[in-house]
């Protein structure tokens, strides 16, 4: 009986940890976040404000940016400019810097 209770509690604890990891992994940057607005971040690079950000060039996106911490094929990944949230692979912001080939 005692072992059953311990296993149950360990399972609950493990599930809780897994869920919080999942929740963290799924948190995406909101385009309305102050930091996102300040950097002109958009989840879809083609929607970048081209009039305001003259450095934008077609084809630029988070997935090919030096600061993108996911794999080039990941749908989303971390970016040091947005701590604790993920940017989309297809996103863009004015701090874009092409990843060295
Ligand atoms: Fe995307 Fe690069 Fe801007 Fe980060 S710095 S949001 S990876 S374009």
């Amino acid at each position: 009986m005692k072992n059953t209770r311990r296993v149950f509690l360990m399972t609950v604890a493990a599930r809780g940890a897994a869920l919080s990891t999942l929740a963290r992994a799924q948190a995406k940057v909101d385009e309305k976040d102050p930091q996102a607005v300040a950097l002109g971040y958009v989840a879809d690079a083609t929607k970048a404000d081209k009039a305001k950000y003259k450095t934008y060039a077609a084809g630029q996106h988070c997935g090919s940016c030096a600061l993108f911490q996911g794999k080039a094929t990941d749908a989303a990944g971390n970016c040091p400019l947005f701590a604790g949230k993920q940017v989309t692979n297809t996103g863009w912001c004015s701090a874009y810097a092409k990843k060295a080939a």
Side-chain angles (χ1 to χ4, degrees), residues 25-29 31 41-48 56-79 82 85-93 96-99:
Q26 289 175 337
K28 298 256 170 49
V29 172
E31 293 179 2
Y41 172 81
V42 283
D44 177 354
T46 63
K47 305 239 167 69
Y56 172 81
Q60 293 180 348
H61 63 101
C62 292
S64 66
C65 175
L67 279 76
F68 187 67
Q69 296 178 337
K71 289 195 283 282
T73 51
D74 287 347
N78 290 321
C79 168
F82 298 98
K85 293 194 177 169
Q86 291 196 319
V87 296
T88 62
N89 190 313
T90 56
W92 183 89
C93 88
Y96 176 86
K98 190 173 173 25
K99 186 182 282 184

Side-chain angles (χ1 to χ4, degrees), residues 6 8 12 18 20 26 29 34-36 42 48 53 61 70 75-76 80-81 84 87:
R6 189 163 50 200
F8 172 76
V12 168
S20 73
Q26 289 175 337
V29 172
Q35 173 80 339
V42 283
Y53 301 109
H61 63 101
L81 300 185
V87 296

